[in-house]
Amino acid sequence: QVQLVESGGGLVQAGGSLRLSCAASGSTVSTNAMAWYRQTPGKQRELVARINPGGSTSYADSVKGRFTISRDNAKNTVYLQMNSLKAEDTAVYYCNTVTVVPILTIHWGQGTQVTVSS
């Protein structure tokens, strides 16, 4: 059973920083692509950042240069370092992974709220 548990959200002023954590169990962050998504009310969930098993990363244009996704294999945890936060970064942030055994399954964490005050 795959479980993803996010933490680290909160209230921060514009220009500030936060680091989100996603602790995984039942799945290995080093062998599965891991991603962060975010969602605001009335909008679709959007991909923020992804890290692939080989370590390559990709980002939404809106966060490039400000956010960094990384992982700690020993802790089986993925992080999202968010710097120079803007009011438009306010959202619920979700950790995500996909497993293929025994069947293709998409897994989500419970989400963590990030609120950036302007």
Side-chain angles (χ1 to χ4, degrees):
Q1 179 102 11
V2 176
Q3 281 196 314
L4 304 173
V5 179
E6 302 102 332
S7 61
L11 173 64
V12 64
Q13 286 190 331
S17 298
L18 280 175
R19 188 177 80 156
L20 306 183
S21 299
C22 171
S25 60
S27 173
T28 305
V29 300
S30 62
T31 58
N32 288 285
M34 302 293 297
W36 286 96
Y37 285 73
R38 66 186 180 188
Q39 188 171 27
T40 54
K43 293 188 177 181
Q44 283 193 333
R45 201 167 290 189
E46 64 169 350
L47 177 64
V48 175
R50 183 193 307 276
I51 184 165
N52 294 315
S56 61
T57 58
S58 58
Y59 299 91
D61 287 344
S62 59
V63 307
K64 277 181 184 176
R66 301 189 297 123
F67 290 12
T68 302
I69 189 171
S70 62
R71 67 185 181 215
D72 184 327
N73 295 340
K75 295 182 178 179
N76 210 34
T77 298
V78 175
Y79 302 98
L80 184 68
Q81 178 67 45
M82 306 185 295
N83 298 328
S84 302
L85 282 161
K86 305 175 181 180
E88 50 264 43
D89 295 319
T90 295
V92 178
Y93 284 72
Y94 297 91
C95 185
N96 162 279
T97 191
V98 177
T99 56
V100 296
V101 178
I103 59 171
L104 191 148
T105 307
I106 301 172
H107 306 277
W108 296 98
Q110 82 285 357
T112 186
Q113 175 71 47
V114 171
T115 302
V116 184
S117 63
S118 56

